[in-house]
Amino acid sequence: MNTAVKRILISKRKLKNINKRLGRQITKDYKDKNLLIVCILKSSAVFVSDLLRNIKCDCKVDYISVSSYNGTKPTGNIEFKKDIDINPEGYDILLIDDIIDTGNTLKYVKEILLEKNPFSIRICCLLDKPYGRKADINADYIGKIIPDEYVIGYGLDYDEKYRNLPFIGILSDEQERR
Ligand code: IMP
Ligand code: MG
C-alpha cells in the first residue's frame, strides 16, 4: 500500500456499491425531470465518472471549478476558476462534489448557480464529514458519512497528489506533518 495511507477507509468494492446505490436513487428521482449534472472540479472527477455510468436517465453534464484548500486545512478563501458552459435556466441541477466538510465550497457554488435561475438544485456528495460543518448546508444524496480525518484517493488529493489511488484512505500522520 502507498506509504501516504494510514489505512483504507473505503475499498474499491465498497465504492462500487455506493455508486450503484446512488445511481439507482438518482435515476428514480430524476427520470421525469430535466437533469443537469454539475461537477465541481477537480476532486469530484473520478467519483463523477463512475457515478455517471450508474445514472440511467437522460441528463446533461457540465463542470465548474473552484479551489479552497491549502495542504490539509480549508483556507476559508474560495477561488473561482471556471464557470459552467450550459445555461441552467429551467433545469434540475444535481451538484456533485467529492466531500462536504465545512460546507463553504458547496454553499458558494450553490449561490452562484442559483443566480442563473435553475428550476431546482440538489446536492450529491460521495463523502460527508458532518463534524467539520460551518455553513448551513447539507447534501441530499450521501455516499458515506466519515470521521473527521483527512482522506485521499479516488480523486481526493493532498497537495495535488494521490488522486489516482483506487480507494479512499486516511492520510498518514507523517504526511500530514510535512
Ligand atoms: P469544504 O468547503 O470544507 O466543505 O470542503 C470542500 C472541498 O475541500 C472538497 O470538495 C474537497 O476537495 C476538499 N476536502 C475537504 N476535506 C478533504 C479531505 O479530507 N481530503 C481531501 N480533500 C478534502
Ligand atoms: Mg472538491
Side-chain angles (χ1 to χ4, degrees):
M1 192 170 51
N2 193 301
T3 54
V5 178
K6 183 152 66 176
R7 74 182 168 86
I8 294 179
L9 192 63
I10 313 178
S11 67
K12 217 169 144 176
R13 185 178 54 80
K14 284 188 181 149
L15 285 166
K16 198 171 167 186
N17 289 337
I18 288 172
N19 281 316
K20 275 193 191 160
R21 170 174 56 80
L22 290 175
R24 262 198 310 270
Q25 268 179 293
I26 293 165
T27 304
K28 183 167 154 277
D29 293 353
Y30 284 89
K31 64 178 186 305
D32 300 318
K33 296 198 168 149
N34 205 5
L35 176 58
L36 172 61
I37 291 175
V38 176
C39 322
I40 305 182
L41 293 174
K42 297 183 259 189
S43 52
S44 74
V46 178
F47 167 49
V48 162
S49 76
D50 281 344
L51 178 63
L52 273 182
R53 282 169 279 183
N54 287 280
I55 296 177
K56 315 284 184 193
C57 55
D58 285 349
C59 62
K60 293 186 180 177
V61 183
D62 208 340
Y63 299 87
I64 194 165
S65 179
V66 296
S67 127
S68 63
Y69 264 62
N70 178 12
T72 60
K73 303 279 176 288
T75 59
N77 299 323
I78 300 168
E79 196 186 335
F80 183 78
K81 296 198 161 157
K82 182 213 168 286
D83 206 347
I84 49 173
D85 301 321
I86 299 171
N87 177 357
E89 218 166 305
Y91 281 89
D92 296 293
I93 294 182
L94 183 62
L95 183 55
I96 301 192
D97 206 359
D98 53 339
I99 184 167
I100 177 165
D101 181 17
T102 64
N104 290 336
T105 306
L106 276 161
K107 187 158 193 257
Y108 175 84
V109 174
K110 189 179 175 183
E111 276 165 12
I112 291 176
L113 295 175
L114 275 174
E115 282 173 18
K116 298 176 192 279
N117 295 318
F119 189 72
S120 69
I121 300 192
R122 282 191 197 156
I123 294 171
C124 171
C125 289
L126 173 63
L127 307 172
D128 185 356
K129 285 203 266 193
Y131 315 99
R133 201 74 88 254
K134 294 201 171 106
D136 181 20
I137 192 161
N138 284 304
D140 303 282
Y141 302 89
I142 296 165
K144 192 170 167 57
I145 293 174
I146 62 164
D148 200 10
E149 303 243 33
Y150 198 86
V151 290
I152 52 171
Y154 200 63
L156 289 97
D157 72 305
Y158 171 65
D159 203 14
E160 296 295 334
K161 287 186 290 186
Y162 314 120
R163 294 192 198 274
N164 56 325
L165 298 176
F167 51 79
I168 301 274
I170 296 177
L171 184 71
S172 73
D173 301 330
E174 196 184 318
Q175 281 286 319
E176 197 157 356
R177 276 197 299 270
R178 277 189 196 171

